Every structure is written in structure tokens, then in C-alpha cells.
Amino acid sequence: EDQVTQSPEALRLQEGESSSLNCSYTVSGLRGLFWYRQDPGKGPEFLFTLYSAGEEKEKERLKATLTKKESFLHITAPKPEDSATYLCAVQAVKSGYSTLTFGKGTMLLVSP
Amino acid sequence: DSGVTQTPKHLITATGQRVTLRCSPRSGDLSVYWYQQSLDQGLQFLIQYYNGEERAKGNILERFSAQQFPDLHSELNLSSLELGDSALYFCASSGRGALGEKLFFGSGTQLSVL
């Protein structure tokens, strides 16, 4: 069974204090790893897709990286508006169709 | 705004009742997904439709059913509701449901079963 584990569950940072969120996964036949951001009371919003080990993608203060067993979301000099829950999901093919399995997320709070 | 519309935003009902959640996908998207989100389980995949046909099933209970109509909107029907069904229900859509396609999520329906 595909498993996605995110750590830490919650993270509190001061504005400007860089850190990383971890997503470790166990999946047969990974086809893609997705990062989403979810604000309270809203649906997840797409951030990145990574397809192969060694791949990196950046967007503003966020950089996502991928290895064969885990992905990291690096947050550089975060601002209060970066506060949200960050979700990781892995995509695989099962019985001819694609499945997307989400982790439980890391709740990030950035204080001014 | 993701372009995915879900109604209603909030639903309060009693145990044993039946409710219908509605989703309109982004314009042009053929694939619709339903997810359930609770504090302890996270986002759980329920079911996927593509152009009116069921494509994939996840952890969907027999008391739950869904369909996608010719105009591509979808409905999730929840019956014989139990307290444990209280959760946020999200609909998402994508173009063709192909590998690597990102999902666009609606704002969800918060279901409270009392």
C-alpha cells in the first residue's frame, strides 16, 4: 500500500527563519510527487510536481527537491503569508489508472 | 479562485439522513475527483469520474455514491449518515485525469452530522 509521511506535523518559524519540510514515501511505480498548499477553510492549491530523483523546482521563497525516497520543501526567509498547511502527494498507477495519495500535511506558522 | 465550484459550503444534518453535495469542474475539465478530509485521516480519495464514467474508486463507503452528468458536473450522495461522516468533502477536477496532471480543488463542503 502506498504511504506518505510528512514531518514535522507542525512547525513554527520566525519571519526570515529558513527551514525544510519533509515528505517520505513508499510507493511502487512513482509517476509524480506533488506539493500543495492549503489555507484554512479552502481547498489545496497546487505548488509543484516533481517526476524524478534529483529534480528541483522553485517558486518565490519555496524550493522542492526529490530523492528516491523523500522530498523536501525548503522555505527560505519565510513571511507570515507563507503560513498554511503544506501537503505532499504521490501519484502511481494501479490497475491501469492513476492514484494520488496524500500525506497528512505540515502546518506551518510564520510569526512576524 | 480555482474555477471549481462546490455547493453548499456548509451542511448540518442528523444521523440517518441523506445529503447531496454538488461540484462543477473547471471549464473544459473532463475528470472529477471526490476527497474526504478529516483531522485524523487527512485527505482520502473517494472516487474519480471521467467524462461521465467512473474511472477509479478509493476508500468510498457503500453508503456513498457519486455520478457525473452530461454537463460534467458531479454529485456525491451520502446516505444513512453517521457521526463519523462529519468531515470536509472536496471536489477536484483536471483535464483528462492523465498522469502528471495537477488537480484543481474547490473550497469544499463542511458536513456536520449531529
Side-chain angles (χ1 to χ4, degrees):
Chain A
E1 185 179 316
D2 300 343
Q3 286 197 331
V4 181
T5 304
Q6 292 189 246
S7 61
E9 288 184 14
L11 180 62
R12 187 166 194 152
L13 299 173
Q14 289 294 120
E15 185 172 1
E17 180 187 1
S18 302
S19 188
S20 295
L21 313 183
N22 177 264
C23 170
S24 62
Y25 60 88
T26 305
V27 62
S28 54
L30 177 73
R31 298 302 182 96
L33 186 139
F34 295 75
W35 282 98
Y36 282 83
R37 168 192 171 127
Q38 186 174 19
D39 292 297
K42 296 193 174 182
E45 180 184 339
F46 172 79
L47 292 173
F48 304 108
T49 309
L50 302 166
Y51 294 101
S52 57
E55 190 175 357
E56 298 183 354
K57 287 196 176 168
E58 284 188 68
K59 179 181 178 179
E60 296 179 1
R61 295 176 292 283
L62 300 176
K63 182 168 84 171
T65 62
L66 181 65
T67 72
K68 287 188 177 178
K69 292 187 177 180
E70 56 191 349
S71 176
F72 292 93
L73 185 65
H74 308 277
I75 304 177
T76 302
K79 298 183 177 182
E81 53 261 43
D82 294 321
S83 298
T85 295
Y86 291 86
L87 299 169
C88 165
V90 295
Q91 187 176 55
V93 174
K94 310 288 181 190
S95 304
Y97 61 86
S98 70
T99 63
L100 196 61
T101 304
F102 281 84
K104 293 185 180 180
T106 293
M107 187 183 302
L108 174 66
L109 177 63
V110 182
S111 304
Chain B
D1 183 7
S2 67
V4 178
T5 304
Q6 287 189 249
T7 55
K9 286 191 72 65
H10 303 279
L11 202 46
I12 301 174
T13 189
T15 55
Q17 295 297 305
R18 172 190 169 94
V19 297
T20 298
L21 281 53
R22 182 188 168 99
C23 169
S24 294
R26 286 191 325 152
S27 177
D29 282 356
L30 300 177
S31 200
V32 169
Y33 308 74
W34 285 98
Y35 282 85
Q36 179 192 59
Q37 187 175 43
S38 59
L39 284 174
D40 57 337
Q41 293 293 320
L43 259 175
Q44 297 287 310
F45 169 66
L46 296 178
I47 198 164
Q48 178 196 357
Y49 278 82
Y50 174 75
N51 204 21
E53 300 288 327
E54 181 185 303
R55 175 173 274 190
K57 247 181 178 177
N59 303 321
I60 188 165
L61 299 172
E62 284 190 14
R63 300 183 285 109
F64 296 0
S65 65
Q67 52 185 327
Q68 186 179 26
F69 295 87
D71 67 352
L72 300 177
H73 91 270
S74 178
E75 292 181 356
L76 179 67
N77 300 295
L78 314 176
S79 61
S80 302
L81 285 167
E82 301 175 0
L83 295 177
D85 297 327
S86 295
L88 252 177
Y89 290 83
F90 286 105
C91 168
S93 74
S94 68
R96 295 177 295 115
L99 286 174
E101 265 190 352
K102 58 189 177 187
L103 270 57
F104 293 86
F105 284 81
S107 294
T109 293
Q110 178 69 61
L111 174 66
S112 299
V113 182
L114 306 178

